[in-house]
């Protein structure tokens, strides 16, 4: 008898890829060098579950190649790599890993805020290159963080965790989100603004919306033009929320002071002009990249998959309608 298959598209921290053990199922882990789509297609027969990465595009075409597929467990909170609507139509359950990565991701947004405000990266490079010949009144001048106005776009788990950290910096907190969160406004002393007003009033803007139809290219040249010339924009959400060409143009024209990016419109490609700019901090999508958090995410993604296949509710389901609960 052919066993049912579970595919895992990468080894996981804490060796969680080795901890899936369900009687009647065999687990196949992709080799690092193999192309993901080839791996999936090669193993499509009898595949019931896939644990995948945010870089794995789970579209109609690939789902149609997997007639037995019942669950996609995403090793990420964001699920814009998955055609959820189509999965739902096919009765495929989609799960993700919210919550466990919130604080780690908020820490990284703050690392970018501080680095981009105070030119930490070029200053480090300068120092290593032996160019530090003595204290100077105007060496690497940035702009303050303390006491300034922080504008958060997307006031969910991570957006609010970023706001909590702003208390120690005595900041005024503004937010724009799909809806109002009156409890969080009270708890965090945050004020709602529409997007244009938030862009006009903030000194530092941090983006925390998921990528969806409404947030795609939310930030264009027209929007960047509204920002203060001394302002900083940080994006640790998804690259496609900012129109990258427009960001480059705004930075070149000096419309804003600096930017900090963990994600890119055409990831892993980065706009070549960004690579040349000293006032832009560029990170390789490492928002949740701590040992603790990546291990917790692996445990959660595995638990989602195992629970579903054992007829228990997964910890986090993106399309609960497929479970009829
Ligand atoms: P969350 O709790 O769902 O928060 C997202 C917030 O954005 C919610 O308040 C949501 O409102 C709001 N929102 C949704 N669509 C919007 C739109 N079009 N315009 C304005 N606001 C909108 O999610 P989270 O856990 O904070 O994660 C946020 C995102 O961060 C993830 O989706 C992922 O893409 C990204 N992320 C990146 C990294 C990294 O490594 N760089 C790490 C973790 C997460 P509703 O409540 O109405 O939906
Ligand atoms: C990371 O980008 C995530 O969505 O978990
Ligand atoms: C700087 O080092 C100062 O003492 O002002």
């Amino acid at each position: 008898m052919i066993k049912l298959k579970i595919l895992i598209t990468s080894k996981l921290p804490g060796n969680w890829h080795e901890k899936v053990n369900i009687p009647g199922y065999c687990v196949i882990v992709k080799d690092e060098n193999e192309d993901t789509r080839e791996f999936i297609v090669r193993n499509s027969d009898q595949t019931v579950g896939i644990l995948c990465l945010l870089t794995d595009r789970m579209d109609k075409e690939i789902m149609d190649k997997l007639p037995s597929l019942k669950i996609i467990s995403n090793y990420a909170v964001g699920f814009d790599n998955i055609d959820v609507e189509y999965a739902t139509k096919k009765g495929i359950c989609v799960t993700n890993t919210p919550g466990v990565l919130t604080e780690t991701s908020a820490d990284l947004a703050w690392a970018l805020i501080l680095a981009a405000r105070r030119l930490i990266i070029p200053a480090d490079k300068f120092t290593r290159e032996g160019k530090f010949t003595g204290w100077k009144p105007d060496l690497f001048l940035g702009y303050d963080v303390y006491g300034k106005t922080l504008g958060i776009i997307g006031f969910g788990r991570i957006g609010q965790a970023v706001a909590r950290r702003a208390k120690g910096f005595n900041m005024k907190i503004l937010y724009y989100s799909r809806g109002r969160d009156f409890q969080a406004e009270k708890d965090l002393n945050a004020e709602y603004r529409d997007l244009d007003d938030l862009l006009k009033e903030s000194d530092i803007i941090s983006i925390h919306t998921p990528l969806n139809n409404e947030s795609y290219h939310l930030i264009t040249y027209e929007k960047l033009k509204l920002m203060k010339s001394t302002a900083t924009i940080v994006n640790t959400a998804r690259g496609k929320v900012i129109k990258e060409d427009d960001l480059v143009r705004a930075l070149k024209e000096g419309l804003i002071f600096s930017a900090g990016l963990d994600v890119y419109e055409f990831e892993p490609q980065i706009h070549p002009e960004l690579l040349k700019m000293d006032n832009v901090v560029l990170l390789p999508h490492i928002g949740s990249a701590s040992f603790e958090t990546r291990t917790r995410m692996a445990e959660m993604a595995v638990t989602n998959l195992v629970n579903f296949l054992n007829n228990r509710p997964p910890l986090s389901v993106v399309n609960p309608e497929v479970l009829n609960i």
Side-chain angles (χ1 to χ4, degrees), residues 5-28:
K5 288 180 199 154
I6 294 167
L7 307 184
I8 302 184
T9 66
S10 170
K11 288 184 178 165
L12 299 172
N15 285 329
W16 273 93
H17 56 283
E18 292 173 0
K19 298 180 187 173
V20 179
N21 185 6
I22 312 174
Y25 287 86
C26 70
V27 177
I28 308 173

Side-chain angles (χ1 to χ4, degrees), residues 171-190:
M171 297 178 91
K172 177 171 177 177
I173 298 165
L174 307 178
Y175 80 96
Y176 164 75
S177 210
R178 197 148 62 170
R180 301 262 309 245
D181 184 335
F182 294 102
Q183 188 60 47
E185 285 182 25
K186 231 171 88 192
D187 295 346
L188 296 164
N189 202 11

Side-chain angles (χ1 to χ4, degrees), residues 20 39-40 44 61 82 160 164 166 187 219 241 270 295 304:
V20 179
F39 166 76
I40 292 174
S44 61
E61 194 201 342
I82 303 170
Q160 291 181 23
R164 275 199 301 279
D187 295 346
I219 303 298
V241 176
I270 300 178
T295 305
N304 280 332

Side-chain angles (χ1 to χ4, degrees), residues 47-118:
T47 285
V48 177
I50 292 191
L51 193 157
C52 65
L53 307 184
L54 61 87
T55 44
D56 299 331
R57 213 159 28 84
M58 299 301 292
D59 52 18
K60 286 190 181 94
E61 194 201 342
I62 201 87
M63 284 187 244
D64 282 343
K65 288 196 165 41
L66 297 158
S68 309
L69 191 65
K70 289 282 173 287
I71 175 162
I72 300 171
S73 170
N74 211 34
Y75 181 61
V77 63
F79 46 81
D80 48 279
N81 57 312
I82 303 170
D83 186 338
V84 177
E85 204 180 311
Y86 194 63
T88 306
K89 218 187 270 173
K90 296 197 83 165
I92 299 168
C93 177
V94 177
T95 66
N96 67 341
T97 63
V100 292
L101 45 56
T102 298
E103 303 301 338
T104 304
S105 305
D107 285 349
L108 191 88
W110 267 96
L112 279 174
I113 290 171
L114 291 168
R117 283 309 265 177
R118 296 295 298 274

Side-chain angles (χ1 to χ4, degrees), residues 2-281:
I2 306 172
K3 273 194 166 185
L4 301 175
K5 288 180 199 154
I6 294 167
L7 307 184
I8 302 184
T9 66
S10 170
K11 288 184 178 165
L12 299 172
N15 285 329
W16 273 93
H17 56 283
E18 292 173 0
K19 298 180 187 173
V20 179
N21 185 6
I22 312 174
Y25 287 86
C26 70
V27 177
I28 308 173
V29 181
K30 186 182 87 68
D31 189 83
E32 206 180 331
N33 301 319
E34 188 173 1
D35 175 78
T36 304
R37 283 177 101 82
E38 279 169 23
F39 166 76
I40 292 174
V41 171
R42 186 166 64 76
N43 290 297
S44 61
D45 193 34
Q46 299 286 92
T47 285
V48 177
I50 292 191
L51 193 157
C52 65
L53 307 184
L54 61 87
T55 44
D56 299 331
R57 213 159 28 84
M58 299 301 292
D59 52 18
K60 286 190 181 94
E61 194 201 342
I62 201 87
M63 284 187 244
D64 282 343
K65 288 196 165 41
L66 297 158
S68 309
L69 191 65
K70 289 282 173 287
I71 175 162
I72 300 171
S73 170
N74 211 34
Y75 181 61
V77 63
F79 46 81
D80 48 279
N81 57 312
I82 303 170
D83 186 338
V84 177
E85 204 180 311
Y86 194 63
T88 306
K89 218 187 270 173
K90 296 197 83 165
I92 299 168
C93 177
V94 177
T95 66
N96 67 341
T97 63
V100 292
L101 45 56
T102 298
E103 303 301 338
T104 304
S105 305
D107 285 349
L108 191 88
W110 267 96
L112 279 174
I113 290 171
L114 291 168
R117 283 309 265 177
R118 296 295 298 274
L119 308 173
I120 300 295
I121 309 299
D124 173 275
K125 185 164 172 267
F126 172 92
T127 311
R128 284 169 200 274
E129 286 172 355
K131 294 180 180 161
F132 177 41
T133 54
W135 193 91
K136 286 195 183 96
D138 61 350
L139 190 59
F140 287 108
L141 300 189
Y143 282 99
D144 283 331
V145 174
Y146 187 88
K148 299 283 177 166
T149 298
L150 173 65
I152 293 180
I153 298 177
F155 208 48
R157 287 172 293 250
I158 300 171
Q160 291 181 23
V162 168
R164 275 199 301 279
R165 286 157 175 72
K167 203 175 153 83
F169 287 86
N170 194 28
M171 297 178 91
K172 177 171 177 177
I173 298 165
L174 307 178
Y175 80 96
Y176 164 75
S177 210
R178 197 148 62 170
R180 301 262 309 245
D181 184 335
F182 294 102
Q183 188 60 47
E185 285 182 25
K186 231 171 88 192
D187 295 346
L188 296 164
N189 202 11
E191 295 174 26
Y192 184 86
R193 291 287 188 278
D194 69 28
L195 182 59
D196 287 4
D197 284 342
L198 178 130
L199 292 167
K200 282 180 204 159
E201 290 178 44
S202 302
D203 298 296
I204 295 154
I205 286 153
S206 194
I207 303 178
H208 300 286
T209 57
L211 176 64
N212 51 36
N213 290 338
E214 299 76 49
S215 64
Y216 175 79
H217 282 183
L218 191 66
I219 303 298
T220 56
Y221 183 74
E222 295 310 312
K223 297 291 180 197
L224 291 160
K225 242 168 50 183
L226 299 173
M227 289 173 59
K228 298 181 185 181
S229 60
T230 54
T232 295
I233 190 162
V234 165
N235 187 10
T236 58
R238 283 291 182 268
K240 286 182 166 58
V241 176
I242 299 182
K243 198 169 172 208
E244 211 161 271
D245 266 335
D246 285 10
L247 176 64
V248 166
R249 185 174 160 208
L251 285 160
K252 272 186 155 172
E253 292 175 5
L255 295 187
I256 61 173
F257 173 61
S258 65
L261 306 174
D262 187 40
V263 289
Y264 305 89
E265 184 168 2
F266 303 106
E267 205 168 305
Q269 285 177 63
I270 300 178
H271 197 298
E273 293 295 321
L274 290 175
L275 296 170
K276 298 183 199 157
M277 294 176 182
D278 259 2
N279 56 340
V280 182
V281 185

